[in-house]
Amino acid sequence: MQDALTIAGKSYQSRLLVGTGKYRDFQQTADALDASGCEIVTVAIRRVNLGQTAGEPNLLDFLPKNRYTLLPNTAGCYSADDAVRTLRLARELLGDHRLVKLEVLGDPNNLYPNMRETLKAAETLVKEGFDVMVYTSDDPIAARELEQIGCCAIMPLASLIGSGMGILNPWNLQLIIEQASVPVLVDAGVGTASDAAIGMELGCDGVLMNTAIAAAQDPVRMARAMKLAVEAGREAHLAGRMPRRFYSATPSSPLEGVISSRKG
């Protein structure tokens, strides 16, 4: 598989990860996921029915098991204990499932991560054999600690969850990327296709999003745009951008052989 994204020993062709919340219905969710080309799909165990509520529509009926890797997450958890309990439930519902997304929030108004509780939960989950992809602040020190604990992917926020404000601190993001030996994926804050492309151009290994697609006027079309943006950003990163020349223009065409307007 050429230029694959490898997480916890499994390789993926798509570098776009998509959430399943806020869509009109499960059919629209399925249509958007299909258009996005994603292979990893996040599900909020506390908010989406995966079979824990009998008699209600089950998201899994709309997601072919042989196509998507499910990534249960702990959205809505505010303590390490709640997050660990939620992912133990996910493992039970999904049959000894190991790949999970850890997210422990610290404030209901800004949904910023609580890093002390995140670190505590990560330690427990890694010891219990989970492969932990972890949502974190864009703090390079916290990111390094999470990798040292054994998390299989670091997922710093671009900006606040659901804000659509894009990447506010590319410098911190690059510090995290430069020091990491596991995949780094932008998580939270992506608003439109150019945000996703910028994240990939910076060197991120992937982008995870939900609201940017689900809250678009045409979610399926936006999903397709995000797919192209992630691919374009990755290609641009691999190609290597030209150096920036501040306060100095350079002509695109060679100067030799230019026809002179001077007479005589």
Side-chain angles (χ1 to χ4, degrees):
M1 191 179 289
Q2 188 175 6
D3 189 35
L5 168 64
T6 301
I7 297 176
K10 184 173 179 179
S11 296
Y12 302 89
Q13 197 62 51
S14 173
R15 293 174 178 272
L16 174 59
L17 289 67
V18 179
T20 53
K22 300 184 178 179
Y23 290 93
R24 185 183 62 225
D25 51 37
F26 283 161
Q27 186 56 58
Q28 188 184 63
T29 308
D31 292 343
L33 295 179
D34 180 53
S36 75
C38 71
E39 295 168 275
I40 300 178
V41 175
T42 68
V43 291
I45 294 298
R46 291 156 61 102
R47 295 171 178 164
V48 175
N49 183 28
L50 297 179
Q52 66 269 42
T53 307
E56 292 188 4
N58 186 333
L59 176 63
L60 297 182
D61 293 337
F62 293 81
L63 305 180
K65 290 182 180 178
N66 59 354
R67 178 170 178 182
Y68 299 113
T69 294
L70 292 183
L71 182 66
N73 69 58
T74 58
C77 290
Y78 287 84
S79 71
D81 288 345
D82 278 353
V84 170
R85 193 180 307 116
T86 299
L87 292 177
R88 286 172 181 161
L89 171 62
R91 182 165 58 185
E92 189 176 321
L93 286 170
L94 299 174
D96 201 28
H97 190 87
R98 293 181 57 182
L99 185 66
V100 296
K101 180 193 167 189
L102 172 63
E103 174 181 317
V104 185
L105 304 176
D107 187 308
N109 294 316
N110 58 40
L111 302 181
Y112 208 76
N114 181 326
M115 292 314 302
R116 184 170 61 182
E117 292 294 295
T118 299
L119 289 159
K120 181 180 171 185
E123 280 191 334
T124 301
L125 292 167
V126 169
K127 285 178 182 173
E128 292 188 6
F130 286 94
D131 295 319
V132 182
M133 301 176 69
V134 58
Y135 170 65
T136 178
S137 64
D138 59 359
D139 176 355
I141 308 303
R144 184 164 57 202
E145 288 184 52
L146 289 165
E147 182 177 346
Q148 289 170 343
I149 286 172
C151 293
C152 65
I154 307 298
M155 308 175 77
L157 55 80
S159 50
L160 299 181
I161 292 174
S163 69
M165 295 176 67
I167 297 172
L168 298 185
N169 195 337
W171 316 113
N172 274 25
L173 201 55
Q174 287 210 289
L175 286 172
I176 293 172
I177 293 167
E178 287 172 6
Q179 74 179 9
S181 58
V182 297
V184 175
L185 297 91
V186 166
D187 185 5
V190 168
T192 189
S194 56
D195 299 332
I198 289 171
M200 297 303 295
E201 288 173 9
L202 288 172
C204 288
D205 296 283
V207 180
L208 187 150
M209 66 183 71
N210 187 164
T211 307
I213 294 176
Q217 293 182 24
D218 185 341
V220 175
R221 192 165 195 167
M222 183 59 84
R224 193 159 50 245
M226 292 298 187
K227 173 181 183 291
L228 297 173
V230 168
E231 292 174 353
R234 178 65 177 174
E235 285 295 302
H237 170 69
L238 295 177
R241 65 158 296 143
M242 63 165 282
R244 289 183 171 87
R245 300 178 188 277
F246 295 105
Y247 315 115
S248 176
T250 303
S252 299
S253 303
L255 296 177
E256 294 78 7
V258 174
I259 299 173
S260 174
S261 59
R262 293 181 180 177
K263 296 182 179 179

